[in-house]
Each structure stands twice: as C-alpha cells, then as structure tokens.
Amino acid sequence: MAMRKPMNAQALIELLRPHFADAHIDAVNEGNKFELLIVDDAFEGKRLVARQQMVYTLVNQYIQNGAMHALTIHALTPAEYTAKKA
C-alpha cells in the first residue's frame, strides 16, 4: 500500500497557491477535515459549483487517497469577501 502524503492546512494552502497566485487563502483542519476560505478574482461571474470545482480539481487526489476526508470551501470574489466582513 502506498504511503499517503500528510495533508494539513499549510500543505493545502501551498498546493493551491500556484493556481491562485493573488488570492487570499486561509485553511484550517481538524484531522483530515478541512475548511477553506479562498478569495480571488478568478471566481468573478462563476456560480458556486464552478468555483468549488476549480478547487476540487486540485485536491481530488488527496480526497481519493484518504488524506482529506471532508472539505468545506468558501470561494468568494474580493467584493463578496468585503461585503461579508462589513
């Protein structure tokens, strides 16, 4: 059986950073359950499902190998993030 690469919040951020270079990315995890906040212009004009698919495509291998069991994604545009903070 192949060894699983450990996944934690910092590793998730490092995995996503090259694909969302200018994004604000925060992640937390408890064991293999993750919550992700990603704020990027790339989400502009995209529905929630399309935004989530952009992230799932990048992390799918970790879900499949069990390193990540659950992932909650908050994918926002900068304007949406600013509005939520207000």
Side-chain angles (χ1 to χ4, degrees):
M1 185 167 162
M3 293 267 301
R4 288 193 299 211
K5 180 181 177 191
M7 178 59 75
N8 59 35
Q10 188 59 41
L12 176 58
I13 292 168
E14 290 170 9
L15 173 72
L16 297 173
R17 177 61 58 207
H19 305 278
F20 298 96
D22 297 324
H24 170 83
I25 305 173
D26 282 327
V28 294
N29 71 292
E30 287 188 30
N32 61 358
K33 296 178 182 173
F34 292 77
E35 187 163 356
L36 172 68
L37 167 66
I38 184 164
V39 181
D40 194 86
D41 288 326
F43 300 132
E44 196 69 51
K46 291 185 171 51
R47 291 175 172 255
L48 180 60
V49 171
R51 296 174 185 195
Q52 291 175 341
Q53 287 172 337
M54 291 170 70
V55 176
Y56 278 123
T57 298
L58 301 169
V59 300
N60 192 44
Q61 67 182 351
Y62 296 95
I63 294 169
Q64 288 182 346
N65 74 17
M68 185 179 290
H69 173 71
L71 175 61
T72 301
I73 301 169
H74 305 281
L76 305 172
T77 66
E80 290 168 339
Y81 181 65
T82 300
K84 272 195 173 215
K85 285 178 30 179

